Amino acid sequence: MRRSAVRTAAGVLLLSLAVAADLPGQNAARNSPQRPLAVVRLNGAEYLPAADFGARFGLKPLRSADGRKLTLKSNWTTIELEADTRECAINGVRVFLGEAIRDHRGALHVSRIDAEKLITPILLPGSGQTSVPAVRTIVIDPGHGGSDPGMENKALRLQEKTLALDTALRLKQELERQGYKVVLTRRDDRQLARSKKADLQKRGELTLGTKADLFISLHYNSVESGADRVTGVEVYSLTPQYQYSHSDPEREDSTAAIANLGNRHDHWNALLAYNIHRELLAGLKASDRGLKRGRLAVLRFASCPAVLVEAGFLSNDAEARKIATPAYRQKIAESVAEGVRVYANLVEGVRRQRAGQR
Ligand SMILES: [Zn+2]
């Protein structure tokens, strides 16, 4: 194991798990297919005992006195779960689950899809994946454009479309500096199609024509009420099939059963989104609105791992004033680029590990 390969916190985690998994005996037994986790059906979905799931990654369970909370912990990783909530924390980063954590016969349970498609990729990149994606060409998508200004702060004369394009150009420069080929969905103030639906589909589908390896859509946010208190960063990846988006109450998304093109990349979507979100929080010191999932059109049509970044709220005057400064947008671009770098290092680590095993 080459320690120099990965230097970030997540990288150290990958290393530690890889080392643990290399040990013969206990881990081999723990990961053996003869001992599958007990699956129970709760509220119409499959659930796994959270403590047993954590044990597969060497995480020790710590239950709160009232039994409502469960911390899964190792030297490198802390996952905080709470009964009846869809929100959890992975190494201090706010992550929204598709389905709530449930207490079943005195033990907290996590939905199988959340365990497999959200938590596993973050803890052990590449786990269960037959192929490892390359990271060479990146499509950056500045949200909106032309007659669609996106969100606005009229008092400060700010438009999302302009700020998103500027941020995209900065991100392009940062990624090109790292050696990536970068393609923009738009380089000026325009829409890609007359209808909103066709416009979004064209942006996502640009990943096909350019054989892109990553897709990053850049946006700024707004709320209608609570503008004075709502601030911060949120990052979206595509909701997995049969799961529920952050904005949908459980079991109330009629499109949940539909498989989208982007769902082929569920594992890498989660890993990419988590790392970009984490680097944005670290770089901007902004409040954490969470890693979320949605069936957003641009993500549905992307043919590679894809994320949508909401880098701050134009509806909040204080945050909007920050976003209006080139220095802050530069910081956003650098943080997203750092998230890509961490993701690419983790992917490369998986590739190297597999090459070594051959
Ligand atoms: Zn937008």
Side-chain angles (χ1 to χ4, degrees):
M1 209 70 210
R2 265 177 290 175
R3 277 180 183 269
S4 59
V6 271
R7 289 188 204 92
T8 64
V12 171
L13 170 72
L14 169 68
L15 185 74
S16 66
L17 285 165
V19 167
D22 283 345
L23 295 171
Q26 82 206 71
N27 265 295
R30 204 185 284 150
N31 293 329
S32 108
Q34 284 96 338
R35 292 188 55 196
L37 296 174
V39 179
V40 287
R41 236 185 143 75
L42 304 171
N43 197 31
E46 290 182 345
Y47 274 76
L48 309 171
D52 293 352
F53 170 69
R56 295 206 153 184
F57 300 92
L59 304 174
K60 296 221 160 61
L62 267 159
R63 194 87 184 256
S64 66
D66 64 1
R68 304 259 323 144
K69 292 180 184 173
L70 178 69
T71 304
L72 301 172
K73 205 171 165 40
S74 73
N75 286 344
W76 304 276
T77 305
T78 304
I79 302 179
E80 296 158 87
L81 305 172
E82 186 174 353
D84 305 317
T85 167
R86 290 168 79 185
E87 197 178 324
C88 75
I90 303 179
N91 291 327
V93 173
R94 199 174 173 195
V95 174
F96 286 90
L97 302 164
E99 326 223 19
I101 297 294
R102 302 206 182 277
D103 189 328
H104 173 65
R105 295 185 177 169
L108 292 195
H109 283 63
V110 59
S111 94
R112 185 181 59 75
I113 300 180
D114 282 320
E116 290 175 356
K117 300 202 164 195
L118 179 58
I119 303 175
T120 294
I122 295 169
L123 295 188
L124 191 54
S127 173
Q129 300 302 297
T130 46
S131 64
V132 184
V135 192
R136 286 186 292 260
T137 303
I138 301 175
V139 171
I140 306 174
D141 173 42
H144 314 277
S147 64
D148 169 19
M151 299 304 176
E152 291 180 275
N153 185 318
K154 292 212 166 89
L156 297 176
R157 295 184 177 196
L158 298 174
Q159 290 192 319
E160 182 185 358
K161 65 172 184 178
T162 315
L163 298 163
L165 178 59
D166 175 87
T167 313
L169 292 168
R170 293 172 189 276
L171 177 58
K172 178 175 186 280
Q173 203 167 43
E174 289 304 312
L175 291 173
E176 282 175 345
R177 199 171 292 162
Q178 288 184 35
Y180 295 112
K181 184 182 170 204
V182 177
V183 179
L184 291 174
T185 56
R186 65 177 178 97
R187 297 162 169 276
D188 49 24
D189 186 14
R190 71 169 75 192
Q191 282 162 294
L192 273 69
R194 215 168 276 166
S195 85
K196 181 83 185 158
K197 196 177 162 220
D199 173 81
L200 291 170
Q201 182 164 353
K202 264 196 164 172
R203 291 169 192 252
E205 283 180 347
L206 195 67
T207 52
L208 273 171
T210 55
K211 293 198 173 72
D213 303 302
L214 288 186
F215 176 86
I216 302 168
S217 191
L218 294 176
H219 290 252
Y220 291 98
N221 226 330
S222 182
V223 284
E224 280 178 17
S225 63
D228 52 336
R229 49 186 174 77
V230 179
T231 65
V233 170
E234 51 194 43
V235 174
Y236 283 87
S237 63
L238 182 64
T239 313
Q241 192 183 8
Y242 305 116
Q243 265 223 323
Y244 303 96
S245 301
H246 169 261
S247 55
D248 293 313
E250 288 167 278
R251 255 144 269 300
E252 280 185 26
D253 182 351
S254 59
T255 64
I258 299 166
N260 290 289
L261 184 61
N263 281 133
R264 280 188 290 149
H265 311 287
D266 284 340
H267 182 96
W268 307 104
N269 288 341
L271 182 65
L272 176 67
Y274 176 81
N275 284 293
I276 288 182
H277 186 56
R278 205 186 54 159
E279 293 306 327
L280 275 165
L281 294 175
L284 302 177
K285 312 274 182 272
S287 58
D288 182 359
R289 295 269 304 167
L291 181 64
K292 297 177 174 178
R293 292 192 292 178
R295 289 195 170 84
L296 306 169
V298 282
L299 302 180
R300 284 197 284 123
F301 292 111
S303 61
C304 59
V307 293
L308 185 141
V309 173
E310 293 278 4
F313 282 81
L314 295 180
S315 46
N316 180 278
D317 284 351
E319 194 160 69
R321 281 196 188 92
K322 281 193 207 170
I323 295 165
T325 66
Y328 195 76
R329 294 196 299 276
Q330 181 63 27
K331 198 80 204 160
I332 291 169
E334 286 170 12
S335 302
V336 173
E338 180 61 15
V340 169
R341 197 186 65 79
V342 173
Y343 168 83
N345 272 356
L346 290 168
V347 169
E348 190 50 40
V350 174
R351 192 189 304 285
R352 218 176 279 146
Q353 197 188 339
R354 291 191 181 181
Q357 281 167 359
R358 250 181 250 131

